[in-house]
Amino acid sequence: MSDTGTLEALVQALRRLPGVGVKSASRMAFHLLQNDREGAELLSRALHEASSRVRHCERCHTFTENPVCDTCLDDGRDAARLCVVETPADQAALERTGAYKGYYYVLMGRLSPLDGIGPRDIGVQQLLQRASDGVVQEVILATNFTAEGEATAHVISEALQRKGVGFTRLARGVPIGSELEYVDLGTIAHALADRR
């Protein structure tokens, strides 16, 4: 590659990160090369290690270095509860709350017909097998409240209902500490409808 070709390849690689455009990727590349060569090497090694060692858990599909993740191996968790999330990042967010002690199933995506992503692509059949194992009593649908997340939750809930498996959906409402005049109207409407 030419002397600018290597730099351009780095910028293009950084652009693959979500939310990173050309300007941000260029700033990152120049920063690493100009001010933090040690950080660039560290980042390179960490990415190489992660991409070669991290895999999907055989049971829940989250990221792990072992065949089965630590969460799935934890006998102290509530086996009657199975929380369905879209991504390992969503699972990590739920874990940080400390409020949920059951097991997970990570879809590794959501339905998106426009992108050609259907139920098979996100493992709905495997989820149904796990949810109908006789141990799971409640499947908690914790997909995002986007159009795709709602469609995913709807398709899964219909399939669970046909199998006779109980399910719930995460509640929606006004965030703690917020003022009503600044909350979007959709959130207020759902909070009113789902009040308890």
Side-chain angles (χ1 to χ4, degrees):
M1 283 192 167
S2 68
D3 58 349
T4 59
T6 304
L7 180 58
E8 182 59 25
L10 175 59
V11 170
Q12 292 305 315
L14 290 168
R15 282 192 62 203
R16 296 179 73 107
L17 295 169
V20 177
V22 175
K23 286 183 181 181
S24 295
S26 295
R27 273 194 301 273
M28 289 179 209
F30 285 121
H31 170 79
L32 289 168
L33 295 175
Q34 182 177 348
N35 301 318
D36 194 5
R37 291 278 176 140
E38 185 180 326
E41 290 294 326
L42 180 66
L43 180 61
S44 173
R45 283 191 303 274
L47 277 170
H48 176 73
E49 284 294 309
S51 66
S52 64
R53 296 177 64 181
V54 174
R55 62 173 95 179
H56 294 289
C57 172
E58 294 172 357
R59 188 160 163 78
C60 75
H61 300 137
T62 197
F63 291 136
T64 182
E65 290 186 40
N66 302 306
V68 178
C69 72
D70 291 342
T71 303
C72 286
L73 291 174
D74 184 354
D75 292 336
R77 297 187 83 93
D78 182 359
R81 308 280 173 262
L82 183 65
C83 185
V84 178
V85 294
E86 292 179 17
T87 67
D90 295 337
Q91 177 187 358
L94 284 170
E95 279 295 288
R96 283 192 302 272
T97 69
Y100 178 70
K101 300 297 181 193
Y103 290 107
Y104 293 92
Y105 187 88
V106 182
L107 297 169
M108 298 305 290
R110 59 185 165 259
L111 296 178
S112 181
L114 293 176
D115 297 320
I117 300 172
R120 286 185 182 180
D121 301 307
I122 60 172
V124 172
Q125 190 58 42
Q126 295 91 327
L127 166 61
L128 292 175
Q129 289 171 353
R130 179 147 180 221
S132 56
D133 65 1
V135 176
V136 174
Q137 296 174 10
E138 176 191 13
V139 174
I140 301 166
L141 300 173
T143 57
N144 292 310
F145 290 106
T146 61
E148 293 90 353
E150 290 286 354
T152 303
H154 177 74
V155 167
I156 293 171
S157 67
E158 297 253 316
L160 290 169
Q161 196 167 21
R162 285 192 299 274
K163 291 256 186 199
V165 177
F167 63 90
T168 56
R169 179 81 167 109
L170 282 186
R172 296 175 262 207
V174 178
I176 294 173
S178 63
E179 297 180 31
L180 282 179
E181 67 179 295
Y182 300 113
V183 176
D184 69 276
L185 299 178
T187 300
I188 293 173
H190 282 295
L192 280 170
D194 296 340
R195 69 189 182 278
R196 53 182 167 123

